[in-house]
Amino acid sequence: PMRQLTVLFLLPSLAFSAPSFDCKKASSEDEKLICASPLISDLDQNLATKFTGKLSSLADPQKKALRVAQRAWIKKRNQGCGIGKAVE
């Protein structure tokens, strides 16, 4: 009974540790690290939520500029300035 209660209390926290993307499609080393860590998954989800919120508040030209900046940031992260360096 106690073990079942523990599992029930852990289930909600596990549900929130999903990243903002499908881990089955993770291709970069950083994406794989995000998927492997509940903490980093939570941070990724938080960042994605804030990004989406900001995006929805912008006019189309600013949305385009923000998406371009996001792609540049992801490219730089994937080229070796990313999560792997931070967790070593």
Side-chain angles (χ1 to χ4, degrees), residues 1-86:
M2 184 58 110
R3 184 176 283 179
Q4 290 172 339
L5 284 175
T6 302
V7 170
L8 287 176
F9 284 117
L10 289 176
L11 285 177
S13 66
L14 292 174
F16 291 106
S17 60
S20 62
F21 57 89
D22 184 353
C23 285
K24 293 176 187 171
K25 297 178 182 177
S27 58
S28 75
E29 189 63 31
D30 285 340
E31 288 173 339
K32 292 172 185 174
L33 285 167
I34 291 168
C35 292
S37 167
L39 172 62
I40 299 174
S41 291
D42 284 344
L43 294 171
D44 177 73
Q45 185 59 248
N46 186 292
L47 181 62
T49 299
K50 290 184 184 320
F51 178 84
T52 302
K54 182 64 178 176
L55 199 62
S56 69
S57 72
L58 298 174
D60 286 341
Q62 289 84 17
K63 285 180 184 181
K64 183 177 179 180
L66 184 58
R67 286 187 179 118
V68 168
Q70 178 199 33
R71 285 187 205 106
W73 177 80
I74 291 171
K75 183 178 179 180
K76 184 170 178 71
R77 179 201 70 189
N78 289 347
Q79 290 175 340
C81 296
I83 297 164
K85 301 276 185 204

